[in-house]
Amino acid sequence: MTNFRIATAFLLLLSNLAALPATGTETCAAIQELGTPSLDRFNYTVSIGSIPFNLSIDADCEYTLKISFKHDETLPMASKPMTQCNPTITPPILAPDDLPYFAFRWFYEKVPEDVAKVTGIDHISIDWNPCGHPPVEKFGAPHYDLHIYRETPEFRTCMTCTKVPDTPICDPAPDSQTTNSGLVIGVQCSATDQPSNMPADFVVGMSDMIPLMGGHAWNPSHEPDSVETWDTPVWLMGPYDGGIVDFEPMIPLKFIIGDTDHEYSESLVYEGQTVDELPSSYSVNYDATTSKTTLVLVGSSADKKCKAPKAAKKKKCKKSKNKKDKSSKNKKD
Protein backbone atom coordinates (compact mmCIF):
# COMPACT_ATOMS: atom_id res chain seq x y z
CA MET A 1 0.00 0.00 0.00
CA THR A 2 1.04 3.58 -0.48
CA ASN A 3 1.16 5.69 2.68
CA PHE A 4 -1.88 7.59 1.45
CA ARG A 5 -3.98 4.44 1.04
CA ILE A 6 -2.82 3.02 4.37
CA ALA A 7 -3.98 6.27 5.98
CA THR A 8 -7.25 6.11 4.06
CA ALA A 9 -7.98 2.54 5.13
CA PHE A 10 -7.01 3.28 8.73
CA LEU A 11 -9.17 6.35 9.12
CA LEU A 12 -12.16 4.76 7.40
CA LEU A 13 -12.40 2.24 10.21
CA LEU A 14 -11.03 4.32 13.06
CA SER A 15 -14.38 5.25 14.57
CA ASN A 16 -15.56 1.63 14.54
CA LEU A 17 -12.39 -0.18 15.51
CA ALA A 18 -10.89 2.02 18.20
CA ALA A 19 -11.99 -0.32 20.97
CA LEU A 20 -10.73 -3.54 19.36
CA PRO A 21 -7.92 -5.44 21.09
CA ALA A 22 -4.42 -5.00 19.78
CA THR A 23 -3.34 -8.58 20.43
CA GLY A 24 -4.31 -11.99 19.07
CA THR A 25 -5.72 -13.26 22.37
CA GLU A 26 -9.28 -14.58 22.66
CA THR A 27 -10.76 -11.14 23.30
CA CYS A 28 -14.04 -9.96 21.82
CA ALA A 29 -15.20 -6.45 21.00
CA ALA A 30 -18.29 -4.80 22.46
CA ILE A 31 -21.50 -5.48 20.54
CA GLN A 32 -21.86 -1.73 20.06
CA GLU A 33 -18.88 -1.82 17.68
CA LEU A 34 -21.14 -3.48 15.08
CA GLY A 35 -23.24 -0.33 14.71
CA THR A 36 -26.94 0.38 15.26
CA PRO A 37 -29.09 -2.77 15.70
CA SER A 38 -32.01 -1.44 13.65
CA LEU A 39 -32.81 -0.90 9.96
CA ASP A 40 -35.92 1.22 10.54
CA ARG A 41 -34.37 4.34 9.04
CA PHE A 42 -34.20 2.59 5.66
CA ASN A 43 -37.89 1.56 5.52
CA TYR A 44 -36.42 -1.92 5.41
CA THR A 45 -38.72 -4.78 4.48
CA VAL A 46 -38.45 -8.30 3.18
CA SER A 47 -42.03 -8.72 2.19
CA ILE A 48 -44.63 -8.49 -0.56
CA GLY A 49 -48.03 -7.08 0.35
CA SER A 50 -49.06 -8.11 3.86
CA ILE A 51 -47.00 -11.33 3.94
CA PRO A 52 -44.06 -10.88 6.32
CA PHE A 53 -40.75 -11.96 4.79
CA ASN A 54 -41.61 -13.01 1.28
CA LEU A 55 -39.84 -16.32 1.56
CA SER A 56 -41.07 -19.10 -0.71
CA ILE A 57 -39.77 -22.57 -1.54
CA ASP A 58 -40.65 -24.07 -4.90
CA ALA A 59 -40.84 -27.69 -6.03
CA ASP A 60 -37.11 -27.69 -6.73
CA CYS A 61 -36.33 -26.75 -3.12
CA GLU A 62 -35.33 -23.22 -4.11
CA TYR A 63 -36.06 -20.18 -1.97
CA THR A 64 -36.75 -16.64 -3.15
CA LEU A 65 -36.02 -13.86 -0.68
CA LYS A 66 -36.74 -10.19 -1.37
CA ILE A 67 -35.10 -7.44 0.68
CA SER A 68 -36.20 -3.84 0.12
CA PHE A 69 -34.88 -0.56 1.45
CA LYS A 70 -34.74 3.15 0.65
CA HIS A 71 -31.74 5.43 0.64
CA ASP A 72 -31.87 7.56 3.80
CA GLU A 73 -31.32 11.14 2.69
CA THR A 74 -30.60 12.22 6.29
CA LEU A 75 -27.35 10.26 6.29
CA PRO A 76 -24.19 12.34 5.85
CA MET A 77 -23.25 13.20 2.29
CA ALA A 78 -20.03 14.99 1.40
CA SER A 79 -20.75 18.21 -0.48
CA LYS A 80 -17.02 18.95 -0.79
CA PRO A 81 -15.44 15.50 -1.08
CA MET A 82 -11.95 16.81 -1.90
CA THR A 83 -11.70 18.13 1.65
CA GLN A 84 -14.42 16.32 3.61
CA CYS A 85 -13.25 12.91 2.38
CA ASN A 86 -9.56 13.69 2.70
CA PRO A 87 -8.00 11.54 5.47
CA THR A 88 -4.77 13.54 5.46
CA ILE A 89 -6.51 16.58 6.96
CA THR A 90 -6.17 16.62 10.74
CA PRO A 91 -8.34 16.91 12.63
CA PRO A 92 -10.76 15.37 10.13
CA ILE A 93 -13.83 17.33 9.05
CA LEU A 94 -16.83 16.00 10.96
CA ALA A 95 -20.27 15.31 9.51
CA PRO A 96 -23.48 16.34 11.34
CA ASP A 97 -23.45 12.97 13.16
CA ASP A 98 -20.05 13.90 14.69
CA LEU A 99 -18.15 11.24 12.77
CA PRO A 100 -15.63 11.92 10.01
CA TYR A 101 -17.31 11.91 6.62
CA PHE A 102 -15.15 8.97 5.56
CA ALA A 103 -16.17 6.78 8.55
CA PHE A 104 -18.38 3.74 8.08
CA ARG A 105 -22.03 3.88 9.21
CA TRP A 106 -23.20 0.34 10.10
CA PHE A 107 -26.83 -0.67 10.74
CA TYR A 108 -28.02 -4.27 11.17
CA GLU A 109 -30.99 -6.42 12.07
CA LYS A 110 -31.58 -10.13 12.71
CA VAL A 111 -33.86 -12.11 10.39
CA PRO A 112 -36.69 -14.27 11.80
CA GLU A 113 -35.96 -17.90 12.62
CA ASP A 114 -37.97 -19.27 9.70
CA VAL A 115 -35.90 -17.19 7.27
CA ALA A 116 -32.64 -18.29 8.86
CA LYS A 117 -33.74 -21.94 8.71
CA VAL A 118 -34.26 -21.85 4.95
CA THR A 119 -31.54 -19.42 3.80
CA GLY A 120 -28.80 -19.81 6.39
CA ILE A 121 -28.86 -16.03 6.87
CA ASP A 122 -28.60 -14.69 10.44
CA HIS A 123 -28.67 -10.92 10.03
CA ILE A 124 -28.43 -8.17 7.45
CA SER A 125 -26.22 -5.10 7.77
CA ILE A 126 -26.85 -2.05 5.59
CA ASP A 127 -23.61 -0.10 5.69
CA TRP A 128 -23.36 3.45 4.34
CA ASN A 129 -20.05 4.79 3.01
CA PRO A 130 -20.47 8.50 2.11
CA CYS A 131 -16.88 8.68 0.82
CA GLY A 132 -16.64 5.14 -0.43
CA HIS A 133 -13.59 3.13 0.60
CA PRO A 134 -10.34 1.78 -0.83
CA PRO A 135 -9.43 1.19 -3.53
CA VAL A 136 -10.67 4.76 -3.88
CA GLU A 137 -9.90 4.91 -7.59
CA LYS A 138 -12.53 2.17 -8.05
CA PHE A 139 -14.93 2.31 -5.07
CA GLY A 140 -14.36 5.80 -3.70
CA ALA A 141 -17.92 6.90 -4.57
CA PRO A 142 -20.84 7.05 -2.07
CA HIS A 143 -22.34 3.58 -1.83
CA TYR A 144 -24.03 0.92 0.29
CA ASP A 145 -22.45 -2.36 1.33
CA LEU A 146 -25.38 -4.72 1.87
CA HIS A 147 -23.69 -7.35 4.05
CA ILE A 148 -25.73 -10.54 4.45
CA TYR A 149 -24.20 -12.41 7.39
CA ARG A 150 -24.45 -16.15 8.02
CA GLU A 151 -23.05 -15.80 11.55
CA THR A 152 -24.54 -14.04 14.59
CA PRO A 153 -23.61 -10.53 15.73
CA GLU A 154 -22.14 -12.12 18.86
CA PHE A 155 -19.90 -14.30 16.70
CA ARG A 156 -18.74 -11.27 14.76
CA THR A 157 -17.66 -9.44 17.94
CA CYS A 158 -15.03 -12.16 18.38
CA MET A 159 -13.74 -11.80 14.82
CA THR A 160 -10.85 -9.76 16.14
CA CYS A 161 -7.21 -10.03 15.24
CA THR A 162 -3.73 -8.63 15.58
CA LYS A 163 -3.58 -5.78 13.11
CA VAL A 164 -0.76 -4.75 10.84
CA PRO A 165 0.81 -1.70 12.56
CA ASP A 166 -0.90 1.59 11.71
CA THR A 167 -3.69 -0.08 9.69
CA PRO A 168 -7.05 -1.75 10.44
CA ILE A 169 -6.00 -4.82 8.41
CA CYS A 170 -5.61 -8.22 10.07
CA ASP A 171 -2.06 -9.55 10.24
CA PRO A 172 -2.05 -12.69 8.04
CA ALA A 173 0.76 -14.34 10.03
CA PRO A 174 -0.04 -17.63 11.85
CA ASP A 175 -1.29 -17.36 15.46
CA SER A 176 -2.29 -13.72 15.02
CA GLN A 177 -6.04 -14.45 14.82
CA THR A 178 -8.73 -15.57 17.26
CA THR A 179 -10.21 -18.33 15.09
CA ASN A 180 -9.91 -22.02 15.97
CA SER A 181 -7.58 -22.55 13.01
CA GLY A 182 -5.47 -19.55 14.00
CA LEU A 183 -5.82 -18.08 10.51
CA VAL A 184 -8.50 -15.60 9.55
CA ILE A 185 -7.19 -15.86 5.99
CA GLY A 186 -7.74 -19.62 5.77
CA VAL A 187 -9.79 -20.67 2.74
CA GLN A 188 -10.72 -24.04 1.29
CA CYS A 189 -9.70 -24.86 -2.27
CA SER A 190 -11.82 -26.43 -4.96
CA ALA A 191 -10.66 -29.06 -7.42
CA THR A 192 -9.47 -26.22 -9.67
CA ASP A 193 -7.46 -24.60 -6.84
CA GLN A 194 -9.93 -21.70 -6.82
CA PRO A 195 -11.33 -20.72 -3.40
CA SER A 196 -14.27 -22.98 -2.51
CA ASN A 197 -17.80 -21.57 -2.22
CA MET A 198 -16.92 -18.64 -4.46
CA PRO A 199 -17.53 -18.00 -8.16
CA ALA A 200 -14.68 -18.68 -10.56
CA ASP A 201 -11.94 -16.05 -10.75
CA PHE A 202 -12.73 -14.60 -7.32
CA VAL A 203 -9.57 -13.46 -5.57
CA VAL A 204 -8.99 -13.52 -1.81
CA GLY A 205 -6.55 -10.85 -0.74
CA MET A 206 -4.20 -11.09 2.22
CA SER A 207 -4.81 -7.38 2.87
CA ASP A 208 -8.61 -7.58 2.61
CA MET A 209 -9.31 -9.12 6.05
CA ILE A 210 -11.00 -6.64 8.39
CA PRO A 211 -11.90 -7.12 12.09
CA LEU A 212 -15.65 -7.70 12.73
CA MET A 213 -16.22 -8.25 8.98
CA GLY A 214 -13.85 -10.96 7.81
CA GLY A 215 -12.40 -11.16 4.33
CA HIS A 216 -13.42 -9.67 1.02
CA ALA A 217 -13.15 -11.48 -2.31
CA TRP A 218 -14.43 -10.56 -5.75
CA ASN A 219 -13.71 -10.94 -9.44
CA PRO A 220 -11.31 -8.17 -10.50
CA SER A 221 -12.78 -8.23 -14.01
CA HIS A 222 -16.08 -6.99 -12.53
CA GLU A 223 -14.54 -3.82 -11.16
CA PRO A 224 -15.51 -0.50 -12.75
CA ASP A 225 -12.93 1.15 -14.97
CA SER A 226 -12.90 4.10 -12.59
CA VAL A 227 -14.83 5.56 -9.67
CA GLU A 228 -16.54 7.96 -12.09
CA THR A 229 -17.93 5.11 -14.19
CA TRP A 230 -19.08 2.87 -11.32
CA ASP A 231 -22.86 2.60 -11.80
CA THR A 232 -23.86 -1.06 -11.19
CA PRO A 233 -23.63 -3.45 -8.20
CA VAL A 234 -20.56 -5.61 -7.57
CA TRP A 235 -20.89 -9.00 -5.81
CA LEU A 236 -18.47 -9.98 -3.03
CA MET A 237 -17.94 -13.03 -0.84
CA GLY A 238 -16.71 -12.88 2.77
CA PRO A 239 -14.29 -15.71 3.67
CA TYR A 240 -13.43 -16.37 7.30
CA ASP A 241 -11.72 -19.28 9.06
CA GLY A 242 -12.10 -21.57 6.06
CA GLY A 243 -15.80 -20.79 5.55
CA ILE A 244 -18.09 -18.06 4.24
CA VAL A 245 -19.21 -15.60 6.90
CA ASP A 246 -21.16 -13.32 4.56
CA PHE A 247 -21.84 -12.20 1.01
CA GLU A 248 -22.83 -8.80 -0.31
CA PRO A 249 -23.64 -6.58 -3.22
CA MET A 250 -21.88 -3.22 -3.16
CA ILE A 251 -24.37 -0.76 -4.62
CA PRO A 252 -23.31 2.72 -5.81
CA LEU A 253 -25.62 5.52 -4.74
CA LYS A 254 -26.22 6.60 -8.33
CA PHE A 255 -27.88 3.22 -8.97
CA ILE A 256 -30.57 3.73 -6.29
CA ILE A 257 -31.58 7.37 -6.69
CA GLY A 258 -33.03 9.50 -9.45
CA ASP A 259 -35.98 9.45 -11.84
CA THR A 260 -34.97 6.39 -13.86
CA ASP A 261 -35.58 2.74 -12.96
CA HIS A 262 -32.49 0.58 -12.75
CA GLU A 263 -32.08 -3.19 -12.87
CA TYR A 264 -29.09 -5.48 -12.55
CA SER A 265 -28.93 -9.29 -12.30
CA GLU A 266 -26.28 -11.96 -12.23
CA SER A 267 -26.10 -15.75 -11.97
CA LEU A 268 -23.71 -17.23 -9.41
CA VAL A 269 -21.95 -20.57 -9.87
CA TYR A 270 -19.56 -21.65 -7.12
CA GLU A 271 -16.29 -23.54 -7.32
CA GLY A 272 -16.16 -26.54 -4.95
CA GLN A 273 -19.51 -25.63 -3.37
CA THR A 274 -20.05 -27.13 0.09
CA VAL A 275 -22.62 -24.58 1.32
CA ASP A 276 -25.76 -25.55 -0.59
CA GLU A 277 -27.87 -22.53 0.36
CA LEU A 278 -25.62 -19.84 -1.14
CA PRO A 279 -27.58 -17.74 -3.68
CA SER A 280 -27.51 -19.09 -7.23
CA SER A 281 -28.55 -15.69 -8.55
CA TYR A 282 -29.25 -12.17 -7.38
CA SER A 283 -30.86 -9.08 -8.80
CA VAL A 284 -30.99 -5.48 -7.65
CA ASN A 285 -33.88 -3.33 -8.84
CA TYR A 286 -34.50 0.36 -8.23
CA ASP A 287 -38.05 1.67 -8.64
CA ALA A 288 -37.92 5.42 -9.32
CA THR A 289 -41.63 5.80 -8.50
CA THR A 290 -41.32 4.45 -4.95
CA SER A 291 -37.59 5.16 -4.48
CA LYS A 292 -37.27 1.57 -3.24
CA THR A 293 -34.38 -0.72 -3.97
CA THR A 294 -35.09 -4.46 -3.90
CA LEU A 295 -32.50 -7.20 -3.68
CA VAL A 296 -33.79 -10.62 -4.76
CA LEU A 297 -31.86 -13.73 -3.78
CA VAL A 298 -32.61 -17.19 -5.20
CA GLY A 299 -30.94 -20.33 -3.86
CA SER A 300 -31.31 -23.90 -2.64
CA SER A 301 -33.13 -24.34 0.66
CA ALA A 302 -31.04 -25.02 3.75
CA ASP A 303 -34.03 -26.68 5.40
CA LYS A 304 -33.18 -30.34 6.09
CA LYS A 305 -36.71 -31.30 5.11
CA CYS A 306 -36.01 -30.05 1.60
CA LYS A 307 -32.42 -30.99 0.86
CA ALA A 308 -30.52 -29.72 -2.16
CA PRO A 309 -28.20 -32.07 -4.09
CA LYS A 310 -25.06 -33.02 -2.20
CA ALA A 311 -22.08 -30.81 -2.82
CA ALA A 312 -18.70 -32.07 -3.93
CA LYS A 313 -16.23 -33.26 -1.30
CA LYS A 314 -13.70 -30.77 0.00
CA LYS A 315 -10.17 -30.81 -1.35
CA LYS A 316 -7.25 -29.83 0.80
CA CYS A 317 -6.14 -26.33 -0.11
CA LYS A 318 -2.65 -25.43 -1.05
CA LYS A 319 -1.15 -22.53 0.81
CA SER A 320 -2.55 -19.31 -0.64
CA LYS A 321 -0.24 -16.89 -2.31
CA ASN A 322 -0.31 -13.25 -1.29
CA LYS A 323 -2.61 -11.21 -3.48
CA LYS A 324 -1.48 -7.72 -4.24
CA ASP A 325 -3.11 -5.05 -2.14
CA LYS A 326 -6.43 -3.81 -3.54
CA SER A 327 -5.19 -0.32 -4.18
CA SER A 328 -1.98 -1.36 -5.88
CA LYS A 329 -3.96 -3.72 -8.16
CA ASN A 330 -6.21 -0.87 -9.21
CA LYS A 331 -8.96 -3.06 -8.88
CA LYS A 332 -14.91 -4.53 -1.06
CA ASP A 333 -17.85 -4.16 6.36
Side-chain angles (χ1 to χ4, degrees):
M1 277 190 174
T2 64
N3 290 335
F4 175 79
R5 284 167 184 155
I6 287 176
T8 302
F10 174 70
L11 289 171
L12 276 169
L13 288 173
L14 185 61
S15 63
N16 293 84
L17 304 180
L20 291 180
T23 68
T25 58
E26 292 284 346
T27 304
C28 300
I31 194 75
Q32 290 80 5
E33 296 300 317
L34 300 185
T36 303
S38 171
L39 297 177
D40 289 346
R41 69 185 301 156
F42 300 105
N43 294 316
Y44 162 81
T45 63
V46 272
S47 64
I48 288 180
S50 61
I51 303 176
F53 278 82
N54 175 47
L55 183 67
S56 60
I57 305 175
D58 64 18
D60 294 324
C61 290
E62 285 199 330
Y63 65 79
T64 298
L65 180 64
K66 296 184 179 182
I67 303 167
S68 296
F69 71 100
K70 286 185 177 183
H71 168 57
D72 182 359
E73 295 182 352
T74 68
L75 285 167
M77 186 72 179
S79 58
K80 300 177 180 179
M82 294 299 293
T83 54
Q84 293 168 333
C85 294
N86 188 344
T88 65
I89 295 177
T90 56
I93 300 174
L94 300 183
D97 60 2
D98 293 327
L99 291 175
Y101 278 92
F102 45 71
F104 290 155
R105 274 81 176 171
W106 294 353
F107 308 87
Y108 69 95
E109 197 167 298
K110 297 270 286 185
V111 302
E113 290 183 7
D114 56 345
V115 175
K117 182 179 180 180
V118 174
T119 65
I121 296 169
D122 181 85
H123 66 284
I124 295 169
S125 185
I126 298 179
D127 304 337
W128 170 239
N129 307 283
C131 295
H133 56 62
V136 293
E137 66 274 16
K138 300 288 185 175
F139 303 125
H143 71 271
Y144 283 98
D145 292 337
L146 192 56
H147 286 276
I148 301 170
Y149 285 100
R150 294 169 40 78
E151 297 288 357
T152 66
E154 291 74 19
F155 181 95
R156 287 179 56 209
T157 63
C158 296
M159 291 169 59
T160 56
C161 61
T162 300
K163 298 187 287 292
V164 175
D166 300 322
T167 80
I169 299 168
C170 291
D171 184 348
D175 302 322
S176 66
Q177 315 306 326
T178 63
T179 65
N180 292 332
S181 69
L183 283 173
V184 71
I185 62 171
V187 296
Q188 296 171 2
C189 274
S190 69
T192 60
D193 285 334
Q194 285 284 310
S196 293
N197 297 304
M198 296 187 201
D201 299 322
F202 267 48
V203 178
V204 180
M206 301 284 274
S207 62
D208 300 332
M209 305 293 170
I210 306 297
L212 308 184
M213 279 187 176
H216 295 82
W218 67 94
N219 186 337
S221 69
H222 292 176
E223 297 170 1
D225 292 332
S226 68
V227 66
E228 291 81 11
T229 61
W230 183 27
D231 58 3
T232 57
V234 176
W235 185 259
L236 285 81
M237 303 296 297
Y240 185 77
D241 196 24
I244 299 296
V245 70
D246 80 299
F247 42 85
E248 59 162 310
M250 288 199 307
I251 310 173
L253 179 61
K254 65 174 62 174
F255 186 86
I256 61 171
I257 60 173
D259 300 327
T260 303
D261 293 350
H262 296 139
E263 181 176 354
Y264 182 86
S265 62
E266 186 177 351
S267 295
L268 301 168
V269 178
Y270 302 92
E271 296 287 320
Q273 184 171 0
T274 61
V275 183
D276 292 332
E277 61 271 19
L278 292 175
S280 57
S281 68
Y282 80 97
S283 64
V284 183
N285 301 278
Y286 169 68
D287 185 331
T289 301
T290 63
S291 298
K292 280 190 175 182
T293 300
T294 300
L295 169 67
V296 179
L297 301 177
V298 176
S300 296
S301 172
D303 191 342
K304 294 180 180 180
K305 295 180 181 179
C306 190
K307 290 185 178 180
K310 291 183 179 180
K313 292 182 179 179
K314 302 176 185 178
K315 178 186 175 184
K316 188 175 180 181
C317 184
K318 296 179 183 178
K319 188 174 181 181
S320 300
K321 295 181 180 179
N322 286 14
K323 186 192 77 170
K324 291 182 180 180
D325 153 61
K326 292 182 189 177
S327 300
S328 63
K329 279 183 89 282
N330 279 342
K331 336 185 210 184
K332 136 318 9 225
D333 171 160

